[in-house]
Amino acid sequence: MDERIRHDHRLAEAEALERLRALQPAREVSQRITERALSLAREVRSTRPAALSAESFLRHYGLSTPEGVALMCVAEALLRIPDPETADALLREKLSAGQWAKGGGQEAEDSWAASAADWALMLTGTLARWREAEAEPVAQLKRLAARLGEPVVRTAVRQAMRILASQFVIGETIEEAVTRSRAFEAYRFSYDMLGEAARTAEDAARYFDAYSRAIRGTPAGDGVSVKLSALHPRFEEAKRARVFAELAPRVAQLVRLAEQCAVGITIDAEESERLELTLDLFEQLSRGHAIGLAVQAYQKRALAACDWLVGLRRRVSVRLVKGAYWDGEIKRAQQLGMPDYPVFTRKPATDLSYVACARRLLSAPATLYPAFATHNCRTVATIFELAGDRPFEFQKLFGMGDTLYEVLSRTRAFACRIYAPVGSFTDLLPYLVRRLLENGANTSFVHQIADPAVPLEALVADPLEALPEPYSPDPRIPVPRNLYPDRLNSLGVDLARRDVLESFEEKIRSDRGRENLGTVESTTAQELDFSIARAVSAFDSWTRVPPSERAAALERSADALERRMQELASLIVREGGRTYADAVSEVREAADFCRYYALQARKHFANPLALAGPAGERNELSLQGRGVFACIAPWNFPLAIFTGQVAAALAAGNTVIAKPAEQTPRIGFRAVELLHQAGIPADVLSCAVGAGEAVGALLVADPRIAGVAFTGSDETARRINAALAARPGPIATLVAETGGVNAMVVDASALPEQVVDDVVVSAFQSAGQRCSAQRILFVDEGCAARVMRLLGGALAELKVGDAAEPDTDVGPIIDAPARAALLRHVEKLRAGARLIGEARAPASGNYLAPVAFEMPIEALPRIEVFGPVLHVCTYRRDSLGRVLQWIRETGYGLTLGVHSRIQSFVDAVVTQARVGNVYVNRSMIGAVVGVQPFGGEGLSGTGPKAGGPHYLFRFATERTLTVNTAAVGGVTELLTRPLN
Ligand code: NAD
């Protein structure tokens, strides 16, 4: 793959756009295009959509209406829900939100059944109308459904969903698809096998069979689109070696089969982080074989990718699409703190990119055969203009853009292929929702052509005219660095890039060769005594340093941490046994803590708060440091939590003795060094290392310590609490963040694939050695079998091993005693619980293979099992109360996950939970500073939450100042007030 493709990946948007401008049609050509597009659009709009089409559908249920949104929710979930109760709960909730039957009367609003009936019949009725049926049978059906009640309604809605589905999916099997496609004589086809990406080897094998069958069943001349992520459970850059060893031969086999059958194969485009890998695979597969590739114009590197394809000089067909994962790309780049987005933030910029790419693809007719996937009149007109008599084809989605192509076919000849999804209805619905989102977005042509309020002139205008001059990205989507209005976001590292992974690996290997991480000498009692004394005497001056200066030093510290990303990540991997991804998020979190507390200090500590009171008096409240804080951190976030505690204490004006865990002293040392270099005086912050029972205990027993910020186990927290209580002198402040017995509750409306993705991350990332990690999965028995099967398969795909290797998913357990305790626990489970699945761990080394067991609720552990062991318990829908009670009775309250599509279920769990951090429909780890302030209640900690707006207050003492301003003679402000 070409270096330019990599370079352009996250190019500044304005720069990426400049290149595209040069490739746009000249003004007079653009005018011609506009005219053509306009006459096309006029005809499209004035033509009544045939049968049910996406256009007419969106006209009725736009994304911006509650009905449209409810419809998406129902469509996405309904057909997979196994039990009627859950299905009814979903329908009841979603269907009561909209005004389904316009003029349906009061009764429609009174009963969900009636409104569901309306809704179902609106759909079927609309279909019926679209199919030019009489309205009367609809009214009859409606009356009937209202009389018969819920089961009939449920069936009607399911039926409506199926009818809807059949408009967008050509068939459940390839045979059905091929038969149905015969009705579209003028078109060629490319069949797409629907489904989620593979999570397990079993999924991948099933998809492989589906593709093989599809290729065999496809008529010569038609094609099959292949999603690589469906053919391998780990189609990721970090797994490059496996992908080439396992996936490449599989695809090659399909390519050969397709050649035998004279069927075209096109590799579909997926998320941008898979592009490098896709292109490299494509390069290999296209040697000697004519295969196709999809290119997404919304990526900034689309043009570079097209240039690369031209340069390959191989017979290749290229499908140019605008791109379907735009919203996901934006979200992901923000979450990962990427320097910029892989995609354009403005839709017209994507349109320009599309034109530029089209021009490139048309420039090599001897080798490239371009296919332009579009439902947009202007794009169609542009392609005709650019192509002249060079060969190309259009592509459209099945069930979409029908009117456009029908209108077009009246005036001229062209080749068009239908991209036609094939698959079962349950697989289809998430696909459908994706397409509706894509085409129902306000910026989408399909959406706008259906909306008579949008003037056609605007709709077909040259996209250049819609762009600001000079170009700037959409201000509502700032680069991830500027995500927060008042502070910088930490910078991430793109671990989906091969060169980045390689340079990390090299750094870690060379550091390992250079430095032996033997034991670090403990701080002696005298040294500790000296440090405390120094911190006591430094306190007076540090607490008087203006908060803005303290904040500035912390902001410089954040910059320094980020600058040393690779060095620190290497140390975290080597000393803490964390994987690359974990290490990078450690450094980011540490930097975020520094910037966040700096901001809070500026906000709350810089100026006293003026308080209202009687005339002649000034009252104010100010915040001051308390004295010397002991910051005691655990090994499992050796940089982030360590730095966070220290930054908070310093920001609030305290001096600090920081004690890293005995397992990770070097990381603590290095962090303190960096803070010193950034301007925190040496006497204000010092590091004490050594065993908790020795150095830690001495530290907290010292009466000169005004407060303790502790994160670790609840046993230790209790010990520290007792030690503080036993000291003479002032009562110290204790902020303690401790462990949890964290559960996730999943109902039958949840999507099992999503659940398992999130469970694998929550329970096994960092070898389960996160306080937030999931220990327990409560899963509704309706979907339990599928979830457990997927979970077992996903566990088998995890690589356990040396964290220094870039493809490791799960690193070691922190030390031998911890591992021994976990092993004992697992042995007990093996004897008494049912094994769901496990990963394989290397025979030597301090590893523990991630594992999941099923057991009844009575057998679940009520203590924290700090490792990659998941306890799964199924429950019946009507016993949710017992599950929630069990969670409460553990006494812990740190994190909780919920997976459901039913808001009332989510609400029931959330309102009954006594838990610090609740996550819905996502993983339950990875809290972000200032976004998900973190910390538990009950046995899980005292609060306030780290990375939250109230944290610094706990490190401060409050003082008021009252001045009698009338003392000198009178209440001047009363006497000098303006007349009237
Ligand atoms: P730990 O309690 O063994 O040690 C934590 C720190 O306390 C270490 O620095 C240790 O040296 C020190 N320490 C131990 N005994 C001490 C004593 N008597 N006096 C003073 N200091 C003492 O915990 P760990 O094994 O390092 O960390 C894992 C635990 O931390 C888990 O229980 C996990 O859930 C919890 N944790 C909680 C959070 C949170 O935010 N709630 C975050 C990370 C970890």
Side-chain angles (χ1 to χ4, degrees):
M1 198 209 50
D2 164 302
E3 199 42 48
R4 214 185 101 206
I5 299 180
R6 187 171 282 163
H7 173 262
D8 288 1
H9 185 24
R10 298 191 191 273
L11 199 61
E13 191 160 330
E15 198 182 333
L17 196 99
E18 275 324 301
R19 294 193 191 155
L20 303 178
R21 272 190 210 272
L23 291 163
Q24 300 308 306
R27 184 179 297 266
E28 58 295 355
V29 181
S30 167
Q31 265 160 13
R32 225 164 35 230
I33 293 173
T34 307
E35 280 156 29
R36 259 196 204 185
L38 192 58
S39 75
L40 198 52
R42 278 202 192 107
E43 252 190 279
V44 171
R45 194 173 270 175
S46 63
T47 306
R48 205 163 144 247
L52 173 61
S53 66
E55 290 83 350
S56 36
F57 185 76
L58 289 167
R59 199 175 289 173
H60 285 263
Y61 303 107
L63 269 188
S64 43
T65 66
E67 293 84 357
V69 173
L71 175 67
M72 293 286 204
C73 299
V74 173
E76 194 268 341
L78 182 67
L79 294 194
R80 68 162 176 266
I81 296 180
D83 61 301
E85 292 80 17
T86 309
D88 285 350
L90 180 82
L91 291 175
R92 192 174 302 138
E93 182 175 296
K94 304 299 175 207
L95 301 187
S96 54
Q99 288 285 318
W100 296 103
K102 300 223 165 56
Q106 189 55 40
E107 90 213 72
E109 280 166 28
D110 284 348
S111 126
W112 80 270
S115 71
D118 270 344
W119 182 76
L121 293 161
M122 267 287 279
L123 264 180
T124 45
T126 316
L127 299 188
R129 249 184 289 124
W130 283 329
R131 287 174 172 167
E132 289 165 5
E134 292 287 311
E136 186 48 27
V138 175
Q140 279 175 9
L141 250 172
K142 197 165 153 175
R143 282 195 293 275
L144 188 69
R147 238 189 12 246
L148 292 178
E150 300 191 358
V152 171
V153 170
R154 201 186 318 122
T155 313
V157 176
R158 275 182 198 257
Q159 192 52 31
M161 293 312 332
R162 280 173 179 268
I163 294 175
L164 179 63
S166 69
Q167 305 299 321
F168 298 99
V169 169
I170 191 161
E172 292 204 61
T173 62
I174 187 74
E175 292 75 22
E176 215 180 294
V178 171
T179 309
R180 202 167 161 204
S181 69
R182 295 208 183 102
F184 303 82
E185 269 173 19
Y187 294 89
R188 279 184 240 156
F189 276 81
S190 183
Y191 297 105
D192 163 43
M193 299 294 114
L194 285 176
E196 298 281 327
R199 264 61 174 196
T200 66
E202 191 190 326
D203 283 346
R206 193 162 39 82
Y207 283 120
F208 181 83
D209 288 344
Y211 280 126
S212 310
R213 230 176 315 118
I215 292 169
R216 287 203 187 89
T218 297
D222 283 346
V224 171
S225 293
V226 173
K227 248 196 285 335
L228 296 178
S229 64
L231 290 170
H232 197 277
R234 303 301 302 269
F235 179 53
E236 306 157 24
E237 184 60 55
K239 304 282 176 184
R240 179 172 274 266
R242 262 190 83 182
V243 164
F244 272 84
E246 298 165 13
L247 173 60
R250 250 173 249 171
V251 189
Q253 211 177 325
L254 293 178
V255 169
R256 283 193 299 274
L257 178 65
E259 264 172 359
Q260 286 161 18
C261 304
V263 164
I265 286 252
T266 304
I267 307 289
D268 252 334
E270 304 190 54
E271 295 85 351
S272 67
E273 59 205 23
R274 306 193 204 257
L275 185 71
E276 284 197 17
L277 198 51
T278 304
L279 293 183
D280 288 343
L281 267 175
F282 179 81
E283 197 281 323
Q284 189 186 72
L285 292 164
S286 63
R287 281 181 217 154
H289 299 284
I291 59 170
L293 181 72
V295 172
Q296 299 156 318
Y298 66 14
Q299 287 207 44
K300 291 170 179 169
R301 55 189 165 168
L303 187 60
C306 292
D307 283 336
W308 176 77
L309 285 165
V310 172
L312 269 187
R313 295 178 197 283
R314 292 188 196 153
R315 291 195 61 76
V316 168
S317 55
V318 185
R319 175 194 303 142
L320 185 62
V321 300
K322 288 197 180 155
Y325 307 96
W326 181 82
D327 48 340
E329 294 287 353
I330 298 283
K331 178 172 182 185
R332 190 138 177 81
Q334 292 183 347
Q335 286 175 326
L336 294 176
M338 290 293 106
D340 211 323
Y341 297 105
V343 293
F344 294 100
T345 57
R346 291 183 192 267
K347 175 66 170 41
T350 293
D351 293 338
L352 293 196
S353 172
Y354 195 94
V355 173
C357 291
R359 180 167 267 196
R360 278 287 197 275
L361 296 177
L362 285 162
S363 72
T367 52
L368 297 191
Y369 177 66
F372 300 105
T374 181
H375 308 119
N376 178 321
C377 294
R378 181 167 183 105
T379 308
V380 164
T382 310
I383 297 298
F384 277 128
E385 188 66 50
L386 295 178
D389 52 10
R390 278 167 291 193
F392 74 92
E393 68 183 29
F394 286 120
Q395 286 196 8
K396 67 182 276 308
L397 291 172
F398 183 73
M400 229 169 256
D402 292 326
T403 322
L404 166 61
Y405 285 97
E406 193 194 302
V407 165
L408 203 57
S409 66
R410 287 187 214 140
T411 54
R412 60 186 304 165
F414 58 92
C416 184
R417 192 182 292 272
I418 298 180
Y419 182 91
V422 180
S424 73
F425 287 116
T426 20
D427 284 340
L428 142 86
L429 289 159
Y431 162 87
L432 177 67
V433 170
R434 186 77 245 141
R435 293 294 164 212
L436 288 176
L437 278 173
E438 182 189 354
N439 291 290
N442 290 341
T443 51
S444 139
F445 189 89
V446 174
H447 179 117
Q448 296 186 68
I449 190 109
D451 179 356
V454 178
L456 291 179
E457 289 72 16
L459 190 54
V460 301
D462 188 335
L464 266 178
E465 289 167 19
L467 294 179
E469 192 66 60
Y471 185 80
S472 57
D474 188 328
R476 291 163 301 179
I477 310 177
V479 289
R481 185 75 158 161
N482 299 330
L483 190 59
Y484 309 121
D486 42 14
R487 70 188 155 102
L488 285 182
N489 185 10
S490 60
L491 211 48
V493 172
D494 193 350
L495 293 176
R497 269 175 57 163
R498 186 184 181 185
D499 57 334
V500 173
L501 286 175
E502 284 170 355
S503 87
F504 263 66
E505 193 180 3
E506 209 179 293
K507 167 80 179 147
I508 296 167
R509 198 177 309 125
S510 90
D511 285 354
R512 254 192 188 166
R514 212 170 31 76
E515 188 185 18
N516 176 18
L517 302 183
T519 46
V520 168
E521 238 175 85
S522 291
T523 306
T524 63
Q526 280 112 319
E527 284 164 346
L528 186 65
D529 179 59
F530 175 73
S531 300
I532 299 175
R534 237 177 27 149
V536 168
S537 63
F539 173 69
D540 262 349
S541 60
W542 178 247
T543 204
R544 276 199 296 271
V545 168
S548 63
E549 276 178 40
R550 301 199 297 256
L554 289 175
E555 283 156 353
R556 287 193 300 274
S557 306
D559 298 344
L561 288 161
E562 276 181 353
R563 268 199 308 277
R564 304 200 173 258
M565 169 63 85
Q566 214 179 53
E567 173 205 322
L568 291 165
S570 162
L571 188 55
I572 294 166
V573 168
R574 288 177 295 129
E575 189 175 60
R578 300 304 236 195
T579 59
Y580 293 15
D582 282 345
V584 168
S585 40
E586 275 279 285
V587 180
R588 290 192 65 200
E589 193 178 344
D592 280 334
F593 272 132
C594 290
R595 295 201 178 101
Y596 184 78
Y597 294 138
L599 174 72
Q600 298 300 320
R602 287 182 202 276
K603 259 193 198 162
H604 303 294
F605 287 67
N607 297 305
L609 184 65
L611 304 171
E617 203 173 85
R618 177 160 55 86
N619 289 288
E620 51 185 50
L621 176 80
S622 67
L623 296 167
Q624 317 282 335
R626 285 180 168 273
V628 184
F629 251 79
C631 293
I632 302 179
W635 52 266
N636 69 332
F637 285 92
L639 183 69
I641 290 184
F642 179 83
T643 310
Q645 294 174 338
V646 168
L650 292 173
N654 303 285
T655 55
V656 175
I657 311 291
K659 197 199 95 56
E662 45 271 52
Q663 295 90 341
T664 52
R666 282 184 187 77
I667 301 169
F669 258 137
R670 189 68 188 119
V672 166
E673 239 169 51
L674 288 178
L675 265 71
H676 285 161
Q677 284 164 14
I680 306 291
D683 52 356
V684 166
L685 166 65
S686 56
C687 189
V689 299
E693 314 79 66
V695 180
L698 263 183
L699 183 60
V700 296
D702 194 300
R704 290 171 292 178
I705 297 295
V708 177
F710 167 80
T711 306
S713 60
D714 48 333
E715 298 90 304
T716 308
R718 235 184 293 274
R719 234 172 268 143
I720 292 175
N721 197 24
L724 292 176
R727 303 179 326 174
I731 292 175
T733 300
L734 172 62
V735 184
E737 295 297 337
T738 57
V741 177
N742 311 309
M744 181 191 281
V745 189
V746 173
D747 84 349
S749 69
L751 179 63
E753 283 79 5
Q754 235 172 41
V755 169
V756 170
D757 287 351
D758 291 339
V759 168
V760 168
V761 167
S762 305
F764 306 120
Q765 193 171 318
S766 324
Q769 300 170 107
R770 286 178 180 242
C771 50
S772 52
Q774 181 187 356
R775 311 293 173 204
I776 292 168
L777 169 63
F778 286 107
V779 56
D780 185 298
E781 59 182 23
C783 64
R786 169 117 185 98
V787 167
M788 287 195 255
R789 218 183 46 247
L790 281 174
L791 180 60
L795 272 165
E797 294 298 325
L798 292 176
K799 184 194 158 195
V800 184
D802 186 352
E805 289 164 15
D807 62 339
T808 292
D809 299 302
V810 177
I813 301 301
I814 188 68
D815 54 29
R819 175 170 177 268
L822 286 167
L823 273 177
R824 281 195 298 278
H825 179 74
V826 171
E827 284 321 310
K828 242 191 282 158
L829 293 178
R830 273 190 209 287
R834 187 183 77 84
L835 180 69
I836 293 170
E838 61 189 318
R840 270 194 320 256
S844 64
N846 205 50
Y847 300 106
L848 187 95
V851 60
F853 290 94
E854 184 192 355
M855 62 200 68
I857 194 164
E858 306 76 38
L860 293 172
R862 286 171 182 269
I863 49 153
E864 183 184 46
V865 178
F866 207 63
V869 183
L870 180 69
H871 311 80
V872 182
C873 173
T874 60
Y875 71 95
R876 279 170 48 99
R877 201 184 133 75
D878 53 15
S879 57
L880 177 67
R882 186 150 169 246
V883 166
L884 299 179
Q885 191 180 346
W886 187 93
I887 296 174
R888 284 234 301 231
E889 282 173 3
T890 62
Y892 287 94
L894 195 51
T895 64
L896 174 72
V898 190
H899 261 273
S900 170
R901 294 292 187 266
I902 299 175
Q903 191 57 42
S904 55
F905 178 86
V906 175
D907 292 344
V909 177
V910 172
T911 42
Q912 292 191 51
R914 293 188 182 157
V915 166
N917 292 67
V918 182
Y919 299 96
V920 180
N921 292 334
R922 53 153 279 173
S923 80
M924 42 198 280
I925 61 167
V928 174
V929 173
V931 181
Q932 293 105 12
F934 187 79
E937 54 197 82
L939 291 176
S940 296
T942 58
K945 287 179 181 302
H950 309 124
Y951 195 58
L952 284 199
F953 299 133
R954 186 61 67 88
F955 290 78
T957 184
E958 295 174 312
R959 288 189 195 134
T960 62
L961 176 67
T962 297
V963 178
N964 175 9
T965 51
V968 202
V971 184
T972 46
E973 73 259 34
L974 286 180
L975 300 172
T976 57
R977 101 205 123 109
L979 292 172
N980 209 4

